[in-house]
Amino acid sequence: MNLVSDFLRKSALRFPEKLALVDGEVRLTYAELYAAANRVAAGMRALGLQPGERVSYHGNNRWELVVTLFAAIQGGFILVPLNVMLRPAELEHILSEAGIRLILTTAEGEATARQLQEKFGYRLCSYDDPDGLFARWFAQGDPGEIQAHRAADDVLALFFTSGTTGMPKGAPIDHEFVSHLAHSWVISCRYSPAEIFLVTTPMFWTVAPMHCIIPLVLAGGSIVLMNRFDLTRCCELVLQHRVTSFFAVPTMYTLLVDQKADTLRQMKSLRVCSVAGAPITAEIVNKFESLSGATLLNIYGATEAGALAREMLDAPRKAGCAGTLGGTVEVKLVDKEGKPVPPGTPGEILARGFTAIKGYWQQGRVNRDSLPDGWFHTGDIGVLEDGYFLRILDRAKDMIITGGANIYPAEVERVVGLHPAVQMSALVGLPDRVMGELPIAYVVLRHAGAATPAELEAFCREQLSSYKVPRRFIIVESLPLTPTGKIQKGELRKLAARST
């Protein structure tokens, strides 16, 4: 048995000549993608790699990474995607924890990977080497079907969290997790073989391979790759390929609505899109849906737990909420003592179940003791509205406590974002000897000079309790973003501290 390997195998049997993958001029049918994955899996086996051993791709989105993804699944290897933007010092902990045997990299990442090769002893190959291992594997003859037996709880992929609260942790995603997750996407978005999906987020982040590519292969749809997110290029690809669906983070949708409104009106092929990674305002959702004609579904999850809550096509939705609690996990909201809170009361979101990890990766295995109570603690604060709609208030660590009162930055950012001059904002806490913390807002305007700090403060005072109103509004040209489009609040806190 190999639950997830069957997705590609069955789509190749049903739709052998159907277009599976597009990357620039490269086009692979399902039969070609399946054969390529078999050849690369056979090549990995020829190196002596055994099921359960770790292999990595290391680069921005390209067709070779998709082939490697499915080769690893078919060969029973554990895929460890590596962020090509990380410096050697940042990679060392991941390499030490993961015990990677093979890294397939690109010209942009080869120098970094080679710098650490002697210390960690992995085999290294570049996709850009015409005489390298991958090129030879891709060109070799048909090795036949490669499908290693894997149990439902065998690890399929190992993703390392961003490490914003310390050293990155390895989140092991098993076959059961990915299978349930993929089916939940197909059901909620009604993916079919007619789907044409644009991948806009990087494949070193869990969303692109696990939430986008694998579900689309399960459905037999077509996948269009984008090397790195670029606003203009995104629009061009949607129009060129008549894309029906894509996933993006709130920052990307904000930019599309603000800067590409006319182009969005031309995207008549779009049917359903999805968003996660941070709270998104009802204003942006409404504008995107109005301009494009597509439905924008909100999903809430984490690397360690997928689809804790989600919206579904033609199901009731509530503005500003992330849908209803998912059917693949058990979710509860608890107070600081770990006791469940009733609907309408904020609490930390906990999850366990099919699409939640069973423990972190430690010393070469899944350590179930790393989740001592069996629940994954998200660190996010949420509240159930109307009994079952989940609203994400904020990260517990981002919550600001001023004079003993709790301020949830997402709530304030939503209000600031309602001002017509504001493109995006971020609220952080600045340590204060008397109050504990003071809320400071960093604001990007749609146009230079479109609003003053005093105007923004007056606007907020009309809609927020006085203690929630930012003590300072700092207007900036841009906000620091991670490669996945999330605002780096840690950098803003440092900036705020230096400006005092």
Side-chain angles (χ1 to χ4, degrees):
M1 179 179 71
N2 190 321
L3 282 174
V4 183
S5 175
D6 262 355
F7 296 173
L8 177 57
R9 185 180 70 86
K10 289 178 178 177
S11 285
L13 289 172
R14 290 181 301 193
F15 318 111
E17 301 306 315
K18 187 178 184 301
L19 189 62
L21 182 63
V22 178
D23 179 14
E25 299 302 314
V26 176
R27 282 165 163 71
L28 296 177
T29 65
Y30 268 102
E32 290 168 336
L33 177 58
Y34 184 56
N38 278 317
R39 293 196 297 271
V40 173
M44 291 177 179
R45 280 187 175 181
L47 293 180
L49 291 173
Q50 299 298 315
E53 293 191 303
R54 274 72 71 196
V55 301
S56 294
Y57 56 59
H58 181 229
N60 288 312
N61 297 354
R62 49 195 289 174
W63 67 269
E64 294 96 333
L65 271 64
V66 179
V67 172
T68 302
L69 165 66
F70 286 103
I73 293 170
Q74 289 172 213
F77 313 118
I78 297 175
L79 181 71
V80 187
L82 295 176
N83 183 346
V84 73
M85 299 179 69
L86 295 182
R87 307 307 302 159
E90 297 172 299
L91 278 172
E92 287 207 26
H93 173 73
I94 296 173
L95 295 172
S96 176
E97 283 288 311
I100 296 167
R101 292 284 311 279
L102 170 68
I103 295 180
L104 298 167
T105 188
T106 56
E108 60 196 335
E110 185 172 2
T112 297
R114 199 165 296 284
Q115 186 175 334
L116 297 169
Q117 184 179 12
E118 183 175 351
K119 180 175 182 178
F120 292 99
Y122 47 76
R123 191 77 176 259
L124 182 63
C125 164
S126 174
Y127 293 119
D128 294 310
D129 181 355
D131 299 315
L133 287 173
F134 185 88
R136 296 204 302 270
W137 294 339
F138 189 76
Q140 71 183 7
D142 181 12
E145 185 173 274
I146 305 294
Q147 194 174 45
H149 173 81
R150 304 305 283 162
D153 62 353
D154 280 332
V155 178
L156 181 149
L158 184 58
F159 288 88
F160 280 81
T161 59
S162 59
T164 53
T165 58
M167 298 299 285
K169 293 181 179 181
I173 311 299
D174 60 28
H175 280 254
E176 180 179 65
F177 186 129
V178 177
S179 179
H180 280 278
L181 185 67
H183 282 89
S184 75
W185 275 103
V186 172
I187 292 168
S188 63
C189 296
R190 297 183 186 172
Y191 291 147
S192 74
E195 213 68 54
I196 303 172
F197 191 98
L198 175 63
V199 177
T200 67
T201 57
M203 287 185 63
F204 57 73
W205 189 31
T206 182
V207 167
M210 302 296 137
H211 294 252
C212 300
I213 293 172
I214 290 176
L216 261 293
V217 166
L218 169 64
S222 299
I223 298 160
V224 179
L225 282 185
M226 190 173 178
N227 182 255
R228 297 179 68 177
F229 183 76
D230 175 85
L231 194 62
T232 299
R233 184 63 178 150
C234 174
C235 295
E236 291 172 350
L237 290 171
V238 170
L239 294 173
Q240 177 185 351
H241 296 286
R242 297 195 56 76
V243 166
T244 59
S245 183
F246 64 79
F247 171 96
V249 298
T251 305
M252 298 175 183
Y253 285 108
T254 301
L255 293 173
L256 281 167
V257 165
D258 286 349
Q259 300 180 24
K260 298 291 183 180
D262 289 341
T263 308
L264 277 175
R265 292 188 182 95
Q266 301 174 37
M267 296 182 182
K268 300 305 181 184
S269 62
L270 284 178
R271 183 182 66 86
V272 57
C273 293
S274 48
V275 60
I280 187 169
T281 66
E283 177 203 12
I284 296 300
V285 173
N286 292 336
K287 283 186 177 179
F288 178 83
E289 292 187 338
S290 175
L291 290 167
S292 68
T295 302
L296 178 53
L297 299 178
N298 203 346
I299 292 92
Y300 166 68
T303 300
E304 296 94 334
L308 277 70
R310 70 184 320 148
E311 294 179 328
M312 301 177 66
L313 277 178
D314 299 326
R317 295 192 287 166
K318 183 173 182 180
C321 292
T324 56
L325 300 182
T328 58
V329 284
E330 180 184 359
V331 178
K332 65 179 179 180
L333 278 63
V334 301
D335 60 21
K336 292 181 179 179
E337 286 72 44
K339 298 177 181 177
V341 298
T345 302
E348 184 186 0
I349 303 165
L350 277 58
R352 66 181 180 187
F354 294 126
T355 58
I357 63 170
K358 299 173 176 67
Y360 285 100
W361 183 269
Q362 294 172 347
Q363 299 180 336
R365 64 180 181 87
V366 178
N367 181 8
R368 292 176 181 259
D369 293 336
S370 59
L371 298 180
D373 58 358
W375 292 82
F376 166 61
H377 293 239
T378 67
D380 293 330
I381 304 297
V383 63
L384 283 178
E385 298 185 354
D386 300 337
Y388 49 88
F389 289 106
L390 180 65
R391 182 182 297 275
I392 308 303
L393 298 179
D394 226 309
R395 293 286 297 168
K397 68 180 180 64
D398 287 338
M399 185 176 70
I400 299 167
I401 303 176
T402 181
N406 295 342
I407 300 175
Y408 297 104
E411 178 188 8
V412 179
E413 291 161 359
R414 180 187 64 80
V415 170
V416 175
L418 293 175
H419 192 288
V422 173
Q423 183 178 88
M424 64 179 70
S425 68
L427 192 78
V428 297
L430 180 66
D432 181 79
R433 187 174 65 86
V434 177
M435 300 299 291
E437 291 179 290
L438 296 176
I440 306 296
Y442 284 86
V443 180
V444 178
L445 299 176
R446 297 183 190 277
H447 307 288
T452 66
E455 290 169 343
L456 295 174
E457 180 180 349
F459 179 81
C460 288
R461 288 197 179 280
E462 292 178 357
Q463 303 184 60
L464 291 170
S465 301
S466 59
Y467 74 92
K468 296 180 183 179
V469 175
R471 300 304 187 269
R472 292 167 59 198
F473 289 84
I474 302 172
I475 296 174
V476 294
E477 292 185 359
S478 62
L479 297 175
L481 303 177
T482 68
T484 55
K486 295 183 180 180
I487 297 171
Q488 294 180 305
K489 290 197 171 182
E491 294 301 313
L492 292 178
R493 291 188 191 97
K494 294 176 185 177
L495 186 62
R498 288 196 300 264
S499 66
T500 56

